[in-house]
Amino acid sequence: MIQTGPDKYPMSDFKEIIASKAEIKQIVSRIAGQISSSYAGKKLLVCGILKGAFIFMSDLVRQITIPAELTFMKASSYGGGASSSGDVKVAEFSELAAYGGFDILGIDDILDTGRTLCRLKEHLSAKGFASVEFCALLDKAERRESEISVKYVGKKIKNEFVVGYGLDYAEKYRDLPFIAALDDKIYGN
Ligand code: IMP
Ligand code: MG
């Protein structure tokens, strides 16, 4: 039975758990280990892509064992629904020119068509970072339309709309402590 906590969301909103709290914890610690060794001795700037990545990023940076500075960007493509508009808007929240010589690591919640990260790669590549890499908690590989290399991936999933742990459907369910596939009756409405 799917547990959501005391009456937070009806369990019937979800059809399947995609990543439990325990699995997410394991994924975060594995990726944090990889990042900690890859960037040892470097100036690491971790850049969360809002809003979806904020919970993943906050868990991840606390498990990374080397110092990192933090910033955020916003990439909007989905509007309120569940299908990509294809037009990705980018907004910065700090002056990235101040981070000369840093290696930037963009953190995203989910890699879908790849358009968002392609657009961000283009944006960040023009800023003079020592390197530009990406990390995504989830990867819907079969949906890919744009060629993008993502160095750190938490879990490959099938083509289902998922919510929780930062991921939303029309701004709902970000506060769910695990990741679940949304039931078709909600997705369709
Ligand atoms: P892409 O540009 O198609 O790769 O889309 C990436 C963005 O779309 C993610 O950062 C999410 O905000 C959103 N997205 C894609 N698939 C899902 C999903 O299954 N649940 C929630 N958001 C999603
Ligand atoms: Mg979203």
Side-chain angles (χ1 to χ4, degrees):
M1 182 186 273
I2 297 178
Q3 296 289 336
T4 64
D7 298 325
K8 190 158 174 166
Y9 295 106
M11 296 180 302
S12 57
D13 284 7
F14 313 110
K15 61 180 169 196
E16 189 190 346
I17 293 196
I18 298 299
S20 65
K21 286 206 264 186
E23 186 178 3
I24 293 171
K25 207 169 165 185
Q26 281 179 359
I27 291 171
V28 169
S29 106
R30 170 175 55 81
I31 296 181
Q34 292 169 349
I35 292 170
S36 305
S37 38
S38 299
Y39 290 93
K42 298 189 170 168
K43 291 201 291 183
L44 173 60
L45 177 63
V46 176
C47 177
I49 300 157
L50 295 172
K51 300 176 195 172
F54 87 104
I55 294 180
F56 174 44
M57 176 178 172
S58 79
D59 282 346
L60 188 65
V61 294
R62 285 177 289 176
Q63 294 292 316
I64 292 175
T65 56
I66 57 165
E69 296 196 20
L70 311 181
T71 188
F72 295 93
M73 294 184 76
K74 185 162 171 65
S76 324
S77 68
Y78 258 66
S83 62
S84 180
S85 72
D87 175 27
V88 181
K89 293 185 183 65
V90 177
E92 289 180 15
F93 287 89
S94 53
E95 187 44 71
L96 292 177
Y99 293 100
F102 275 76
D103 292 82
I104 191 166
L105 177 64
I107 309 291
D108 205 0
D109 51 359
I110 187 165
L111 185 56
D112 187 26
T113 64
R115 284 194 203 113
T116 304
L117 292 190
C118 270
R119 174 79 184 87
L120 285 173
K121 172 110 191 174
E122 188 184 83
H123 183 94
L124 293 172
S125 295
K127 304 266 171 185
F129 290 106
S131 69
V132 179
E133 296 289 353
F134 291 101
C135 166
L137 176 60
L138 301 171
D139 179 6
K140 283 199 248 186
E142 67 180 82
R143 292 257 305 157
R144 200 78 76 256
E145 289 171 16
S146 303
E147 192 64 41
I148 178 81
S149 140
V150 176
K151 202 163 176 188
Y152 310 94
V153 171
K155 184 176 185 174
K156 286 201 160 74
I157 63 167
K158 56 188 182 202
N159 182 15
E160 278 184 317
F161 199 81
V162 297
V163 293
Y165 197 68
L167 291 118
D168 74 305
Y169 174 64
E171 294 303 325
K172 281 175 71 182
Y173 306 108
R174 291 194 198 274
D175 53 347
L176 199 65
F178 53 84
I179 298 163
L182 206 54
D183 194 87
D184 297 335
K185 69 176 179 305
I186 296 188
Y187 179 89
N189 285 339

